[in-house]
Amino acid sequence: MKQFYLFATILMVFSMLSVNSTFAGGEILIGAPVPLTGDYATDGVEMKEGIELAVSEINAAGGLLGRKVKVIFGDVSDMSGENVKSVGERMLGAGVNAVVSGYCATDTTPVTLFGATNIPYIDAAIRDDFAELVAKNRKKYNNIFQASYVASAWGDNTYKNLFAIPAKGGWKASNNKSSSDSLGSSCI
């Protein structure tokens, strides 16, 4: 499912790039700040692999408008504003045409950093603070896109409801440990 959302996000970026004359000729360079080390590395590796799969399939089909797509990955590790800013500035310095991420920050640094540019930034994080900042400053952040629902849309009992789905569907665990038990308090 994560690969689908990343693939859809990348396709959305490519659609936007195809109508912008500043991207004429050469390869299309996409920045992807993702957590490849640290506590979030498991998700970051899946994000990276999903993006690589999408780009591989797009390039195998001839690229976008005949141009190959190349991705520059940046490890945002603990997703602190400092790491995100450092990685983002390196990507911008490399001349990326767009930036896409599953999620990459514990604060709104990506919005303020990439919002100051004219390149599309698409993030799939469920961040209410991202959406609120963009909504309050639509003209300033008109290049920022959130490719998922915000956390508040899922409701107060999100985790409780998610963990109830298997039982409601008739699935029985092969052991006595529930999904929520295995995640412990780090899930919240």
Side-chain angles (χ1 to χ4, degrees):
M1 189 58 118
K2 286 182 183 180
Q3 288 180 341
F4 169 78
Y5 285 116
L6 286 172
F7 184 71
T9 300
I10 289 175
L11 288 178
M12 190 173 14
V13 169
F14 295 152
S15 297
M16 291 183 299
L17 294 177
S18 67
V19 298
N20 191 331
S21 63
T22 62
F23 301 107
E27 64 187 7
I28 297 170
L29 190 58
I30 306 294
V34 294
L36 297 172
T37 59
D39 292 342
Y40 306 99
T42 302
D43 285 351
V45 168
E46 287 186 14
M47 291 178 218
K48 182 177 184 283
E49 290 174 352
I51 292 168
E52 287 172 334
L53 175 62
V55 169
S56 172
E57 290 178 358
I58 290 166
N59 284 339
L64 174 65
L65 300 175
R67 293 174 297 189
K68 294 292 182 185
V69 176
K70 181 180 176 184
V71 180
I72 297 175
F73 291 96
D75 182 12
V76 294
S77 186
D78 66 355
M79 302 191 315
S80 66
E82 184 178 310
N83 282 345
V84 172
K85 185 176 182 202
S86 175
V87 167
E89 287 174 345
R90 286 195 307 270
M91 289 179 175
L92 293 172
V96 296
N97 303 115
V99 179
V100 62
S101 183
Y103 63 80
C104 72
T106 57
D107 62 16
T108 58
T109 298
V111 174
T112 56
L113 176 66
F114 299 119
T117 71
N118 193 27
I119 64 170
Y121 172 68
I122 300 174
D123 194 301
I126 58 170
R127 302 286 301 270
D128 287 274
D129 56 344
F130 277 28
E132 290 166 7
L133 183 58
V134 172
K136 289 177 183 174
N137 302 283
R138 289 183 186 186
K139 287 184 181 183
K140 183 176 182 179
Y141 298 129
N142 65 359
N143 60 321
I144 306 294
F145 302 92
Q146 193 161 349
S148 64
Y149 289 108
V150 292
S152 59
W154 294 97
D156 294 336
N157 293 315
T158 301
Y159 295 107
K160 178 182 172 188
N161 293 333
L162 285 175
F163 294 126
I165 291 172
K168 288 179 182 178
W171 179 79
K172 303 250 187 266
S174 60
N175 59 37
N176 291 329
K177 209 174 193 186
S178 74
S179 298
S180 57
D181 290 342
S182 67
L183 291 173
S185 62
S186 63
C187 175
I188 304 299

Short mmCIF file of all heavy atoms in Angstrom, two decimals, residues 100-135:
data_model
loop_
_atom_site.label_atom_id
_atom_site.label_comp_id
_atom_site.label_asym_id
_atom_site.label_seq_id
_atom_site.Cartn_x
_atom_site.Cartn_y
_atom_site.Cartn_z
N VAL A 100 9.76 14.86 -2.99
CA VAL A 100 8.67 13.98 -2.57
C VAL A 100 9.13 13.15 -1.38
O VAL A 100 10.28 12.75 -1.31
CB VAL A 100 8.20 13.09 -3.74
CG1 VAL A 100 9.30 12.17 -4.22
CG2 VAL A 100 6.97 12.29 -3.36
N SER A 101 8.23 12.95 -0.42
CA SER A 101 8.58 12.15 0.75
C SER A 101 7.34 11.50 1.34
O SER A 101 6.25 12.06 1.27
CB SER A 101 9.24 13.03 1.82
OG SER A 101 9.65 12.24 2.92
N GLY A 102 7.54 10.32 1.93
CA GLY A 102 6.45 9.68 2.67
C GLY A 102 6.19 10.48 3.93
O GLY A 102 5.07 10.84 4.25
N TYR A 103 7.22 10.76 4.65
CA TYR A 103 7.26 11.72 5.75
C TYR A 103 8.72 11.93 6.09
O TYR A 103 9.55 11.06 5.86
CB TYR A 103 6.45 11.28 6.98
CG TYR A 103 6.93 10.02 7.67
CD1 TYR A 103 8.01 10.05 8.54
CD2 TYR A 103 6.29 8.81 7.47
CE1 TYR A 103 8.45 8.91 9.19
CE2 TYR A 103 6.72 7.66 8.11
CZ TYR A 103 7.79 7.71 8.97
OH TYR A 103 8.21 6.58 9.60
N CYS A 104 9.06 13.11 6.61
CA CYS A 104 10.48 13.35 6.82
C CYS A 104 10.79 14.29 7.97
O CYS A 104 11.96 14.60 8.19
CB CYS A 104 11.14 13.87 5.55
SG CYS A 104 10.72 15.56 5.10
N ALA A 105 9.79 14.78 8.73
CA ALA A 105 10.11 15.80 9.72
C ALA A 105 9.22 15.72 10.95
O ALA A 105 8.08 15.27 10.88
CB ALA A 105 9.96 17.18 9.10
N THR A 106 9.77 16.19 12.07
CA THR A 106 9.00 16.28 13.30
C THR A 106 8.44 17.68 13.50
O THR A 106 7.78 17.95 14.50
CB THR A 106 9.88 15.91 14.51
OG1 THR A 106 11.02 16.77 14.53
CG2 THR A 106 10.33 14.46 14.44
N ASP A 107 8.71 18.57 12.57
CA ASP A 107 8.18 19.93 12.63
C ASP A 107 7.83 20.39 11.22
O ASP A 107 7.81 19.58 10.29
CB ASP A 107 9.18 20.87 13.32
CG ASP A 107 10.50 21.00 12.57
OD1 ASP A 107 10.58 20.62 11.38
OD2 ASP A 107 11.46 21.49 13.17
N THR A 108 7.57 21.65 11.03
CA THR A 108 7.14 22.16 9.73
C THR A 108 8.28 22.64 8.84
O THR A 108 8.05 23.33 7.85
CB THR A 108 6.11 23.30 9.91
OG1 THR A 108 6.72 24.34 10.69
CG2 THR A 108 4.84 22.81 10.59
N THR A 109 9.50 22.26 9.15
CA THR A 109 10.66 22.69 8.36
C THR A 109 10.48 22.44 6.86
O THR A 109 10.81 23.33 6.06
CB THR A 109 11.95 22.03 8.87
OG1 THR A 109 12.17 22.45 10.21
CG2 THR A 109 13.14 22.39 8.02
N PRO A 110 9.99 21.27 6.42
CA PRO A 110 9.87 21.08 4.97
C PRO A 110 8.95 22.10 4.31
O PRO A 110 9.22 22.55 3.20
CB PRO A 110 9.28 19.67 4.83
CG PRO A 110 9.53 19.00 6.11
CD PRO A 110 9.59 20.06 7.15
N VAL A 111 7.88 22.47 4.99
CA VAL A 111 6.95 23.45 4.43
C VAL A 111 7.64 24.80 4.25
O VAL A 111 7.58 25.40 3.17
CB VAL A 111 5.69 23.61 5.32
CG1 VAL A 111 4.80 24.74 4.79
CG2 VAL A 111 4.90 22.31 5.37
N THR A 112 8.32 25.27 5.27
CA THR A 112 8.97 26.58 5.17
C THR A 112 10.18 26.55 4.24
O THR A 112 10.42 27.50 3.49
CB THR A 112 9.38 27.11 6.56
OG1 THR A 112 10.22 26.15 7.21
CG2 THR A 112 8.15 27.36 7.42
N LEU A 113 10.94 25.45 4.24
CA LEU A 113 12.12 25.35 3.38
C LEU A 113 11.73 25.24 1.91
O LEU A 113 12.17 26.06 1.08
CB LEU A 113 12.97 24.14 3.78
CG LEU A 113 14.19 23.86 2.91
CD1 LEU A 113 15.21 24.99 3.04
CD2 LEU A 113 14.83 22.53 3.31
N PHE A 114 10.92 24.25 1.57
CA PHE A 114 10.57 24.04 0.17
C PHE A 114 9.51 25.03 -0.30
O PHE A 114 9.41 25.33 -1.48
CB PHE A 114 10.13 22.60 -0.07
CG PHE A 114 11.22 21.61 0.25
CD1 PHE A 114 11.04 20.65 1.24
CD2 PHE A 114 12.44 21.64 -0.41
CE1 PHE A 114 12.04 19.75 1.55
CE2 PHE A 114 13.46 20.75 -0.10
CZ PHE A 114 13.25 19.79 0.88
N GLY A 115 8.73 25.58 0.64
CA GLY A 115 7.73 26.58 0.29
C GLY A 115 8.35 27.87 -0.21
O GLY A 115 7.70 28.65 -0.91
N ALA A 116 9.60 28.11 0.16
CA ALA A 116 10.30 29.32 -0.29
C ALA A 116 10.85 29.17 -1.71
O ALA A 116 11.45 30.09 -2.24
CB ALA A 116 11.45 29.64 0.68
N THR A 117 10.63 28.01 -2.31
CA THR A 117 11.11 27.76 -3.67
C THR A 117 9.92 27.73 -4.63
O THR A 117 8.78 27.87 -4.21
CB THR A 117 11.84 26.40 -3.75
OG1 THR A 117 10.88 25.35 -3.63
CG2 THR A 117 12.90 26.27 -2.67
N ASN A 118 10.21 27.49 -5.88
CA ASN A 118 9.15 27.38 -6.87
C ASN A 118 8.98 25.93 -7.32
O ASN A 118 8.40 25.67 -8.36
CB ASN A 118 9.46 28.28 -8.07
CG ASN A 118 8.27 28.46 -8.98
OD1 ASN A 118 7.13 28.37 -8.54
ND2 ASN A 118 8.52 28.68 -10.25
N ILE A 119 9.52 24.98 -6.55
CA ILE A 119 9.42 23.58 -6.94
C ILE A 119 8.33 22.88 -6.13
O ILE A 119 8.08 23.23 -4.98
CB ILE A 119 10.76 22.84 -6.78
CG1 ILE A 119 11.18 22.79 -5.32
CG2 ILE A 119 11.84 23.47 -7.66
CD1 ILE A 119 12.37 21.89 -5.06
N PRO A 120 7.66 21.89 -6.71
CA PRO A 120 6.64 21.16 -5.97
C PRO A 120 7.25 20.33 -4.84
O PRO A 120 8.30 19.71 -5.01
CB PRO A 120 6.03 20.23 -7.01
CG PRO A 120 6.47 20.74 -8.33
CD PRO A 120 7.75 21.47 -8.10
N TYR A 121 6.59 20.36 -3.69
CA TYR A 121 6.95 19.49 -2.57
C TYR A 121 5.70 18.71 -2.19
O TYR A 121 4.67 19.29 -1.87
CB TYR A 121 7.45 20.29 -1.37
CG TYR A 121 7.63 19.42 -0.14
CD1 TYR A 121 8.63 18.45 -0.11
CD2 TYR A 121 6.80 19.53 0.96
CE1 TYR A 121 8.79 17.63 1.00
CE2 TYR A 121 6.95 18.72 2.07
CZ TYR A 121 7.95 17.77 2.08
OH TYR A 121 8.11 16.94 3.17
N ILE A 122 5.80 17.39 -2.26
CA ILE A 122 4.67 16.52 -1.93
C ILE A 122 5.07 15.62 -0.78
O ILE A 122 6.07 14.91 -0.85
CB ILE A 122 4.24 15.67 -3.14
CG1 ILE A 122 3.83 16.58 -4.29
CG2 ILE A 122 3.09 14.74 -2.75
CD1 ILE A 122 3.52 15.87 -5.57
N ASP A 123 4.29 15.66 0.28
CA ASP A 123 4.56 14.88 1.49
C ASP A 123 3.33 14.06 1.83
O ASP A 123 2.21 14.54 1.73
CB ASP A 123 4.88 15.85 2.65
CG ASP A 123 5.50 15.15 3.83
OD1 ASP A 123 4.87 14.24 4.38
OD2 ASP A 123 6.62 15.53 4.21
N ALA A 124 3.53 12.81 2.22
CA ALA A 124 2.41 11.94 2.56
C ALA A 124 2.22 11.79 4.06
O ALA A 124 1.51 10.90 4.52
CB ALA A 124 2.61 10.57 1.91
N ALA A 125 2.83 12.65 4.84
CA ALA A 125 2.66 12.61 6.29
C ALA A 125 1.24 13.04 6.66
O ALA A 125 0.62 13.81 5.95
CB ALA A 125 3.67 13.52 6.98
N ILE A 126 0.76 12.55 7.80
CA ILE A 126 -0.60 12.90 8.23
C ILE A 126 -0.55 14.07 9.21
O ILE A 126 -1.05 14.01 10.31
CB ILE A 126 -1.33 11.68 8.82
CG1 ILE A 126 -0.56 11.10 10.01
CG2 ILE A 126 -1.56 10.61 7.78
CD1 ILE A 126 -1.33 10.05 10.79
N ARG A 127 0.04 15.15 8.78
CA ARG A 127 0.36 16.27 9.66
C ARG A 127 -0.67 17.39 9.58
O ARG A 127 -0.77 18.09 8.59
CB ARG A 127 1.73 16.82 9.29
CG ARG A 127 2.88 15.82 9.36
CD ARG A 127 3.25 15.53 10.80
NE ARG A 127 3.64 16.72 11.50
CZ ARG A 127 4.89 17.18 11.56
NH1 ARG A 127 5.87 16.53 10.99
NH2 ARG A 127 5.15 18.28 12.23
N ASP A 128 -1.41 17.59 10.67
CA ASP A 128 -2.34 18.71 10.76
C ASP A 128 -1.59 20.04 10.69
O ASP A 128 -2.07 20.99 10.07
CB ASP A 128 -3.13 18.64 12.07
CG ASP A 128 -4.16 17.54 12.06
OD1 ASP A 128 -5.28 17.79 11.58
OD2 ASP A 128 -3.85 16.43 12.54
N ASP A 129 -0.41 20.11 11.34
CA ASP A 129 0.33 21.38 11.35
C ASP A 129 0.79 21.79 9.95
O ASP A 129 0.81 22.98 9.62
CB ASP A 129 1.48 21.36 12.35
CG ASP A 129 2.47 20.23 12.14
OD1 ASP A 129 2.14 19.24 11.43
OD2 ASP A 129 3.57 20.29 12.72
N PHE A 130 1.13 20.82 9.09
CA PHE A 130 1.48 21.15 7.70
C PHE A 130 0.28 21.78 7.02
O PHE A 130 0.37 22.84 6.40
CB PHE A 130 1.84 19.88 6.91
CG PHE A 130 3.24 19.38 7.06
CD1 PHE A 130 3.98 19.61 8.20
CD2 PHE A 130 3.81 18.65 6.05
CE1 PHE A 130 5.27 19.12 8.33
CE2 PHE A 130 5.10 18.15 6.16
CZ PHE A 130 5.83 18.39 7.30
N ALA A 131 -0.86 21.09 7.12
CA ALA A 131 -2.07 21.55 6.43
C ALA A 131 -2.50 22.93 6.93
O ALA A 131 -2.89 23.78 6.13
CB ALA A 131 -3.19 20.54 6.63
N GLU A 132 -2.42 23.15 8.24
CA GLU A 132 -2.82 24.43 8.80
C GLU A 132 -1.91 25.56 8.33
O GLU A 132 -2.38 26.65 7.97
CB GLU A 132 -2.83 24.36 10.33
CG GLU A 132 -3.95 23.49 10.88
CD GLU A 132 -3.77 23.12 12.34
OE1 GLU A 132 -2.84 23.64 13.00
OE2 GLU A 132 -4.57 22.30 12.82
N LEU A 133 -0.60 25.31 8.30
CA LEU A 133 0.34 26.33 7.86
C LEU A 133 0.11 26.69 6.39
O LEU A 133 0.10 27.87 6.03
CB LEU A 133 1.78 25.85 8.08
CG LEU A 133 2.90 26.81 7.73
CD1 LEU A 133 2.78 28.12 8.51
CD2 LEU A 133 4.26 26.16 8.00
N VAL A 134 -0.08 25.68 5.56
CA VAL A 134 -0.33 25.93 4.14
C VAL A 134 -1.66 26.65 3.95
O VAL A 134 -1.76 27.60 3.17
CB VAL A 134 -0.28 24.61 3.34
CG1 VAL A 134 -0.73 24.83 1.89
CG2 VAL A 134 1.13 24.03 3.36
N ALA A 135 -2.70 26.22 4.67
CA ALA A 135 -4.02 26.84 4.54
C ALA A 135 -4.00 28.32 4.93
O ALA A 135 -4.67 29.14 4.31
CB ALA A 135 -5.04 26.09 5.39
#
